[in-house]
Amino acid sequence: MNKLTPVHELKGIGEKTEKLFLKLDIHTVGDLIQYYPRGYDVYEEPVLISEVVEGKVQTVTGAIFGRVQVSGNRSMQVTSLCLKDISGTLKVVWFRMPFLRNTLARGGVITLRGLVSRKKSGLVMEHPEIFYPSAKYEEKLHTMQPVYPLTSGLSNNTVMKAVRQALDSLPLERELLPETLRLSYQLAEYNYALRGIHFPEDKEVYFHARNRLVFEEFSQFVCSLRLLKEETDRARNDFHITPKPQVDAFIRELPYQLTGAQKRVWDEILTDMQKDFSMSRLVQGDVGSGKTVIALLALMTAALNGFQGALMAPTEVLAKQHYESITSMLEEHHIPIRTELLTGSMTAKEKREAYQRMGDGTAQIIIGTHALIQKKAGYKNLALVVTDEQHRFGVKQREMLAQKGQMPHILVMSATPIPRTLAIILYGDLDISVIDELPSDRLPIKNCVVDTNYRKTAYRFIEKQVAEGRQCYIICPMVEESEHLEVENVTDYAAMLQEELGEGIAVDFLHGKMKQAQKDEIMERFGSGKIQVLVSTTVIEVGINVPNATVMMVENAERFGLAQLHQLRGRVGRGKYQSYCIFMTGSHDEETKKRLDILNKSNDGFKIAAEDLKLRGPGDLFGIRQSGLMNFKLGDVFQDARLLQMASEAVSSPEAADSEWLKKMEKHAGNASVIL
Ligand code: ADP
Ligand code: MG
């Protein structure tokens, strides 16, 4: 067996299970061992009943107090009992397991491990795992079971077994990282790390394993950026772009003044574009800082110089939105530049016609998705490519572009709020412009963090906003792991809300499993105000701009990382109206409150990132704490800032030069694309 062996050759994986693995993009044994757990089930020391808190899986040991009862009807029998220790009592229930009564009726000391939640009657432990007699728990104490991201039909156990088999049958990998580097950074050996990330004996092992793998991931990222920068920089071109008076006129005629930061960044871009070498510049600016108009200025300048410019968005919804707003802005200002939309979901005929206009130069500004840099997309004279919002971009993509003629200027727009110090390590190899100022007409968003008792009040508030002509987003409670549930969840919620708000208010919903055309249609109707309240999963997160929307309500806010919540909040407060963000949480956990309070007090992405970092201790690695920025598998740029620093040093160190390790990193870097 080797890494390229298909997963169905593993014992116990038949055709059906293989299909499920394919859904998770796991084709080979190599893919499988890099499919890391999203968390661990840790069998901790039991706690006293008086110390039990809601919302967490906990273990308690005690005696069964009173009778074990079975109630409910035939289809839903509920077994309940009361557990008592020296500190108090706790209600415990199981569903559909009436036979437990006989087992448990014998009494004695028992250990239970399960999720505790708050019911009307108080705290209740639901459906716990039973250790009876109590001594059985000792065997499991402190062990960690991996918990994998799943798809419906695939059990955690199946993945666990498959991974174990793979790790046991694969030959060990050669350690490529030079010993001196490995020791000076105190990193674990690679094979140890791989096994340790899946099956850590304890937290200590897990931390070591994770550190090594994150280091690896970051090193590859740093290499990606280096490669991206190096070759772009060397690429000469003779576009001879010059500033155009029409662009200055356009800026003067805008309904608003560019902010100081926008002006400065535009200057930097214009200077780059006039050089004989291709630009590779990253524009970093918080949500709502006005990056789109800057992109448009650059695209216009390219077009007015007789070249083509392309704007690439991560989703079709965003591409359409950009296409429409840019086309109408150009029309309003009477600038005769022809725009074109190109997306994957267009019919073959539509695409052919678009390619035609791109190839003969009829299309001057082309806006679209990844379709823009696919093989079939030919250009007459492409001089500028702008990528917007969390777009994957890498050496492969850039090579694709280079093949389409001379190496175009590249501008990457990113809303990733990263503190300056971190940005220097991360993007040290790129040129960066920062838009660190929001338009002055913005009213700061008003925030509140509330518990679910406030839900009705929130709905009344939404009704009032809608009555004033505004629109609202509601991010639906998240259900982990199941696609099916995600859909059901959103539709159910929307139906419930429609009932609650009445027929007079148009409610609709959006989720990731919809067909593209459907999503487009919903977004279009929301954009034009026909939908007043939009219930959605986090697909709404990136880039959507509907300035008339003034309320963002997030259910289960405690389950999101702060960076993600900040992005979501960025969907409102984009116009002249006062906007509101309601973070609804089902948790009374102090820590959660503290975390959400950071958002409550600040609207500044950079500040939030820094505060979040302070709150998260290094021991805090499980569950949802990841900021989710930049799509690293394990690493988190904030939390692992130290490892990022190490990786960046290591890659340029003399010890690494010419090493097989660096070659491996560069090889992967060349194939991968990064999210900036
Ligand atoms: P983002 O940086 O998140 O991509 P956008 O470019 O979508 O933000 O801009 C958000 C909104 O702010 C848009 O409606 C845009 O027209 C508006 N806008 C951009 N620059 C300014 C400015 N200087 N003053 C006022 N409004 C602006
Ligand atoms: Mg944007």
Side-chain angles (χ1 to χ4, degrees), residues 170-398:
L170 282 174
L172 290 183
E173 296 219 15
R174 226 152 34 85
E175 175 61 75
L176 298 177
L177 184 63
E179 191 76 1
T180 46
L181 284 178
R182 196 167 75 74
L183 294 179
S184 69
Y185 293 128
Q186 300 187 336
L187 293 166
E189 198 263 335
Y190 188 77
N191 292 294
Y192 174 91
L194 203 53
R195 187 165 273 277
I197 199 75
H198 290 287
F199 303 110
E201 282 100 48
D202 53 35
K203 285 189 185 171
E204 199 70 11
V205 176
Y206 164 75
F207 286 128
H208 273 107
R210 183 179 178 281
N211 276 357
R212 171 63 200 267
L213 296 176
V214 170
F215 173 83
E216 209 86 345
E217 209 173 23
F218 283 167
S219 299
Q220 191 190 312
F221 176 80
V222 172
C223 287
S224 292
L225 288 187
R226 278 218 290 189
L227 289 176
L228 203 60
K229 169 81 176 155
E230 275 169 16
E231 289 170 39
T232 316
D233 260 9
R234 265 185 263 124
R236 282 191 78 90
N237 67 55
D238 37 36
F239 294 133
H240 304 304
I241 284 178
T242 57
K244 289 288 165 186
Q246 294 98 311
V247 177
D248 294 325
F250 177 87
I251 294 175
R252 277 195 305 276
E253 290 165 17
L254 280 171
Y256 48 77
Q257 282 256 320
L258 289 185
T259 61
Q262 280 173 316
K263 281 188 199 139
R264 190 186 65 239
V265 170
W266 169 231
D267 262 358
E268 288 166 350
I269 294 169
L270 194 56
T271 308
D272 276 3
M273 282 172 60
Q274 293 174 65
K275 292 182 182 158
D276 298 333
F277 292 92
S278 295
M279 156 174 80
S280 56
R281 181 170 287 278
L282 174 76
V283 175
Q284 221 194 330
D286 207 348
V287 280
S289 61
K291 293 184 290 293
T292 315
V293 70
I294 300 299
L296 177 56
L297 297 178
L299 291 164
M300 276 168 66
T301 303
L304 292 168
N305 274 279
F307 301 107
Q308 291 171 302
L311 174 61
M312 192 155 72
T315 64
E316 300 218 355
V317 171
L318 262 189
K320 265 223 165 105
Q321 179 188 291
H322 279 321
Y323 172 76
E324 271 149 26
S325 77
I326 286 176
T327 308
S328 71
M329 275 173 105
L330 291 172
E331 268 168 20
E332 273 168 35
H333 293 259
H334 307 290
I335 298 176
I337 292 177
R338 292 173 305 269
T339 53
E340 185 78 45
L341 179 69
L342 182 72
T343 66
S345 70
M346 285 169 28
T347 65
K349 179 162 174 275
E350 284 168 338
K351 277 188 207 157
R352 224 171 23 246
E353 287 169 4
Y355 292 148
Q356 176 75 39
R357 289 188 289 267
M358 284 154 64
D360 67 17
T362 312
Q364 296 170 286
I365 293 181
I366 305 102
I367 297 152
T369 52
H370 237 91
L372 287 178
I373 53 170
Q374 257 134 35
K375 266 214 184 68
K376 283 187 184 158
Y379 295 83
K380 180 159 175 261
N381 53 11
L382 185 63
L384 169 71
V385 174
V386 186
T387 71
D388 185 39
E389 304 269 5
Q390 302 189 4
H391 208 295
R392 283 188 170 279
F393 200 75
V395 179
K396 280 263 156 68
Q397 282 76 17
R398 200 206 40 219

